[in-house]
Amino acid sequence: MNNFKAVLFDLDGTLIDSEYFYYSNWAPILSEDYGLSITFDDWISNFAGHTLARNVVMLNEQYKLKVDEEDMWFATRSRYAKADMRTIRLMPHAQEILELVKSKGLTTGLVTSSYKTTVDTVLGEHKLLDYFSFFVTRESVEQPKPNPEPYLLATQKLAIPSEEILVVEDTSTGCTAAKAAGLYCVAVSKQEVERERLSHADKLASSLKEVESLLF
C-alpha cells in the first residue's frame, strides 16, 4: 500500500468524534417535536453518515412522520450553535495520522458531507486546517455521498491516477461513494452494526492507528 500519493479523509466519525454530538442534538428534536424516541444505536444504524436531506426523507418514509427539511435544518443548526461544536473531540490518533501523512509528503484532502462552516469550526479549534490541501464539502457538490460526485471532484483536484489515491471512511455511505469513484477505500469503525455493512471496503480497520500500519 506504499504506492499512494494522496489520502482523502472523511470527517465525521473518521477524524472527529461527532456522531454522539449529532445524536444528542437530533434526539430531543425528534422526541419533543415528533414524538419519536431513538437510541444511539438507532442513530448509528439509520442516520450516521447521511445528509440531513436524506435523513428527513427516511424519517418520513420509514417512521411515517411529517418532517419538513427546512424546519429540521433550522432546528438542528440552532441546537448545534447552543451546544458548541468546538467541544467535539478528535478521534483517537487523528492528529498523529495527519502528521504522518504530511511528513511522508502525501497530499491530504478532506471529503465530507458536512458544510464548510462545520469544518472550519471543528478542525479550526483543533488547529488541523493547514494539514489539508483542499476541502470538498456539502456545498461543493450537487449530489453528496453515497453518490461518487464528491470523490470524483477530489480526484479532479488531485490530477493524479485514481490508483494512487487512498480514501479513509467510517460508514457504508462514504465507502460506497469512494468505490463508485474507482478509489481504494479503507474503512475504520468499531461499531459492529456498521462493520457488517462495510464488506465492500478494500480493507477494514478498527482504528486510525491500524490505518497507519496499513499505509506505512
Side-chain angles (χ1 to χ4, degrees):
M1 293 180 66
N2 56 7
N3 60 327
F4 294 110
K5 294 182 179 177
V7 183
L8 301 175
F9 288 95
D10 172 54
L11 180 66
D12 294 296
T14 301
L15 291 177
I16 63 173
D17 191 6
S18 55
E19 291 305 346
Y20 193 82
F21 175 90
Y22 291 127
Y23 163 72
S24 65
N25 284 280
W26 275 69
I29 297 171
L30 294 175
S31 176
E32 295 166 13
D33 296 351
Y34 302 97
L36 175 66
S37 296
I38 63 169
T39 65
F40 184 58
D41 284 343
D42 293 331
W43 176 265
I44 294 298
S45 298
N46 301 322
F47 298 86
H50 296 289
T51 63
L52 181 145
R54 178 271 182 193
N55 284 338
V56 167
V57 170
M58 190 271 298
L59 286 167
N60 291 335
E61 292 183 352
Q62 294 190 23
Y63 289 90
K64 309 303 180 184
L65 300 180
K66 294 182 179 179
V67 182
D68 179 79
E69 182 178 335
E70 186 175 0
D71 288 345
M72 184 60 80
W73 192 91
F74 281 110
T76 54
R77 265 56 195 176
S78 176
R79 283 190 173 270
Y80 294 165
K82 294 176 183 177
D84 191 356
M85 300 189 87
R86 293 175 298 178
T87 62
I88 296 175
R89 301 172 300 176
L90 296 177
M91 294 296 287
H93 307 289
Q95 183 159 351
E96 291 88 339
I97 194 171
L98 290 174
E99 290 175 349
L100 183 58
V101 169
K102 183 177 182 180
S103 72
K104 297 295 185 181
L106 279 66
T107 302
T108 308
L110 189 78
V111 181
T112 176
S113 294
S114 289
Y115 288 88
K116 187 61 163 55
T117 52
T118 299
V119 173
D120 289 342
T121 298
V122 182
L123 293 187
E125 176 67 18
H126 293 285
K127 298 180 173 56
L128 296 182
L129 290 170
D130 290 343
Y131 284 92
F132 298 92
S133 298
F134 63 87
F135 304 91
V136 175
T137 58
R138 178 62 188 89
E139 55 266 67
S140 304
V141 298
E142 291 185 8
Q143 298 293 327
K145 305 171 189 176
N147 191 285
E149 184 183 351
Y151 281 112
L152 291 173
L153 177 57
T155 302
Q156 291 174 12
K157 290 178 179 291
L158 288 167
I160 62 176
S162 58
E163 59 266 23
E164 296 178 353
I165 303 170
L166 172 72
V167 172
V168 183
E169 276 279 359
D170 74 304
T171 65
S172 176
T173 302
C175 186
T176 297
K179 294 307 300 175
L183 303 179
Y184 191 99
C185 182
V186 176
V188 185
S189 180
K190 287 185 176 180
Q191 301 288 343
E192 285 303 320
V193 67
E194 195 62 51
R195 288 175 68 88
E196 292 173 0
R197 298 187 293 200
L198 287 167
S199 59
H200 54 317
D202 294 287
K203 292 285 185 180
L204 184 58
S206 59
S207 70
L208 290 174
K209 186 67 175 177
E210 192 175 336
V211 177
E212 287 182 15
S213 64
L214 290 172
L215 258 175
F216 308 108

